[in-house]
């Protein structure tokens, strides 16, 4: 990982008018997303530039709503899920630091109100949808009319996976090569897959011991397996795009599962080892493998946590609902 000589404030500044003009109110929504080809590792920590390209599915109506309005008290106010937060909280600090990239010292006190409708028990990260919704709301509030690729780049500076949450459906985030990162942006694939389903299997809602940012750094710095990851991810991305274009579920599911296992293998070979799995995670994996042996077309993917996301088509829903009674089912192409 290299540290960039370019700071995000100077990148954002290039796309903004010197004086912001604000509206009364703006409201935006961005979906959460689950990666089939994972983002794991940064080549630039300041701008969240990835070591590899990645591919995800956005989760339709599940994500973050953010609205922005003027604060009449002269102080910023940050709200999350209908509660006022202390301005010293981690969440408030991150939100205000991000908004400051746009305000650049101009005195425009704001109320930033975020509501997540992601099932809280499902172990889904909200930083992707949160930063994407914040960027979309800021674009609207300051009437910036930025292109989607720029919105994706700005969201990425908040959290890497947020670059993908600007779009719905299947989304590819190209790693890019420019030092300012403006070609490290996501775009939507044309393909739709209405029968595709994602099943959220909650194993634990305990806060993960190592956050993704630190986990990525530790993996890059200490894992002997990590050097093979970018090549693996690159070839998985090609396979996944082809499988999606051909609507070949078995090929897509197998590749997504293998990609997740490969990412976890690099994490486990870090030192100290990064093991996000719990015994219950492994039990669900075995159950998925047994079901596949028995002819059910189901695969899984996992992120930096113990919970599993099952991939299947609508025809397998009833058998899987019987096997996994607490599974929460998402239709990513429901609109
Ligand atoms: C992904 N993850 O592609 C991968 C798979 C977790 C495992 O993107 O440091 O919260 O804010 O850029 O985006 C989680 O990482 O990390 C993530 P930052 P982010 O979905």
């Amino acid at each position: 990982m290299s540290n960039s000589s370019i700071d995000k404030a100077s990148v954002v500044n290039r796309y903004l008018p010197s004086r912001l003009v604000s509206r009364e109110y703006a409201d935006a929504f961005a979906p959460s997303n689950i990666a089939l080809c994972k983002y794991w590792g940064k080549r630039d920590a300041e701008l969240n530039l990835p070591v590899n390209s990645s591919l995800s599915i956005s989760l339709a109506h599940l994500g973050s709503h953010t609205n922005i309005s003027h604060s009449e008290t002269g102080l910023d106010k940050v709200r999350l899920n209908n509660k006022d937060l202390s301005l010293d909280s981690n969440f408030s600090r991150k939100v205000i630091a991000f908004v400051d990239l746009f305000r650049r010292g101009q005195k425009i006190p704001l109320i930033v109100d975020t509501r997540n409708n992601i099932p809280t028990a499902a172990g889904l990260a909200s930083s992707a949808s949160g930063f994407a919704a914040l960027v979309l709301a800021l674009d609207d509030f300051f009437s910036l009319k930025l292109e989607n690729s720029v919105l994706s780049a700005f969201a990425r500076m908040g959290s890497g996976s947020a670059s993908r949450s600007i779009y719905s459906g299947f989304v590819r985030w190209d790693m890019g090569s420019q030092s300012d990162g403006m070609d490290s942006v996501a775009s939507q694939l044309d393909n739709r897959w209405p029968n595709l389903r994602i099943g959220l299997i909650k194993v634990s809602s305990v806060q993960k011991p190592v956050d993704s940012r630190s986990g990525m750094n530790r993996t890059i710095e200490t894992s002997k397996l990590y050097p093979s990851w970018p090549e693996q991810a690159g070839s998985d991305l090609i396979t996944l795009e082809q499988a999606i274009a051909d609507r070949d579920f078995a090929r897509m599911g197998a590749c997504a599962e293998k990609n997740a296992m490969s990412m976890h293998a690099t994490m486990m070979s870090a030192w100290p080892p990064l093991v996000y799995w719990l015994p219950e995670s492994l039990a669900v994996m075995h159950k998925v493998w047994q079901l596949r042996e028995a002819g059910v077309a189901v695969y899984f993917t996992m992120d930096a946590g113990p919970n599993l996301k099952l991939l299947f088509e609508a025809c397998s829903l009833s058998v899987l609902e019987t096997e996994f009674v607490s599974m929460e089912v998402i239709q990513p192409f429901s609109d």
Side-chain angles (χ1 to χ4, degrees):
M1 188 183 63
S2 68
N3 274 325
S4 170
S5 52
I6 302 179
D7 66 294
K8 48 190 160 195
S10 68
V11 177
V12 171
N13 185 50
R14 295 205 315 250
Y15 293 85
L16 303 183
S18 51
R19 281 216 72 75
L20 291 170
V21 177
S22 53
R23 305 175 52 187
E24 285 298 301
Y25 177 85
D27 186 53
F29 169 78
S32 186
N33 75 74
I34 287 174
L36 302 179
C37 180
K38 310 292 187 188
Y39 149 53
W40 196 250
K42 300 173 201 243
R43 65 176 196 277
D44 181 318
E46 165 74 8
L47 299 172
N48 289 333
L49 300 180
V51 166
N52 62 281
S53 300
S54 57
L55 190 148
S56 60
I57 309 179
S58 287
L59 301 187
H61 59 284
L62 294 178
S64 304
H65 284 272
T66 296
N67 66 54
I68 298 179
S69 55
H70 290 279
S71 167
E72 305 304 337
T73 65
L75 291 176
D76 288 327
K77 183 187 270 196
V78 177
R79 289 171 59 77
L80 176 63
N81 295 334
N82 303 316
K83 287 200 187 93
D84 289 350
L85 298 187
S86 153
L87 291 178
D88 287 334
S89 68
N90 265 343
F91 185 89
S92 299
R93 283 172 188 272
K94 280 189 203 166
V95 165
I96 290 171
F98 197 80
V99 171
D100 283 344
L101 293 172
F102 290 71
R103 290 190 293 206
R104 295 160 297 163
Q106 293 171 53
K107 185 141 180 64
I108 312 171
L110 297 175
I111 302 172
V112 181
D113 187 356
T114 305
R115 281 155 291 125
N116 296 323
N117 65 3
I118 305 162
T120 44
L124 288 176
S126 54
S127 67
S129 55
F131 275 108
L134 180 57
V135 167
L136 292 168
L138 287 164
D139 182 63
D140 189 20
F141 189 76
F142 293 122
S143 303
L144 300 173
K145 298 188 170 43
L146 296 168
E147 287 178 20
N148 281 345
S149 61
V150 176
L151 296 172
S152 173
F154 285 7
R156 187 239 310 130
M157 293 179 207
S159 188
S161 50
S163 64
R164 303 185 305 233
S165 277
I166 294 291
Y167 302 96
S168 60
F170 290 111
V171 181
R172 187 187 61 232
W173 170 17
D174 288 315
M175 60 185 285
S177 59
Q178 288 173 210
S179 55
D180 69 358
M182 291 312 290
D183 60 349
S184 182
V185 296
S187 57
Q188 192 176 36
L189 306 191
D190 291 335
N191 318 76
R192 290 176 54 79
W193 199 322
N195 288 339
L196 191 65
R197 300 287 182 271
I198 295 173
L200 304 176
I201 309 270
K202 183 203 144 196
V203 159
S204 165
S205 49
V206 173
Q207 180 103 21
K208 57 188 165 192
V210 181
D211 64 60
S212 294
R213 195 162 294 223
S214 322
M216 288 185 204
N217 291 345
R218 189 192 295 179
T219 310
I220 289 192
E221 282 160 15
T222 65
S223 164
K224 288 274 195 294
L225 296 187
Y226 188 79
S228 70
W229 167 251
E231 194 186 326
Q232 161 96 51
S235 78
D236 287 347
L237 190 79
I238 293 167
T239 304
L240 283 164
E241 284 199 68
Q242 194 58 55
I244 290 167
D246 297 344
R247 220 177 260 197
D248 181 341
F249 179 72
R251 193 146 182 251
M252 183 187 77
C255 189
E257 187 173 306
K258 187 177 60 152
N259 182 272
M261 294 302 263
S262 303
M263 176 186 71
H264 280 274
T266 70
M267 297 165 166
M268 288 178 196
S269 60
W271 194 262
L274 272 172
V275 182
Y276 287 105
W277 301 355
L278 291 174
E280 296 85 346
S281 317
L282 198 54
V284 175
M285 289 181 207
H286 278 288
K287 199 160 163 182
V288 168
W289 294 327
Q290 281 160 8
L291 283 163
R292 271 218 306 275
E293 283 285 304
V296 183
V298 56
Y299 297 84
F300 66 80
T301 185
M302 290 180 76
D303 294 303
N307 302 307
L308 285 89
K309 290 98 183 188
L310 303 190
L311 302 166
F312 57 94
E313 291 187 290
C315 55
S316 306
L317 178 64
S318 59
V319 60
L320 291 171
E321 278 184 329
T322 312
E323 294 289 338
F324 300 102
V325 284
S326 60
M327 176 174 73
E328 184 133 9
V329 179
I330 295 171
Q331 297 190 32
F333 295 92
S334 60
D335 46 337

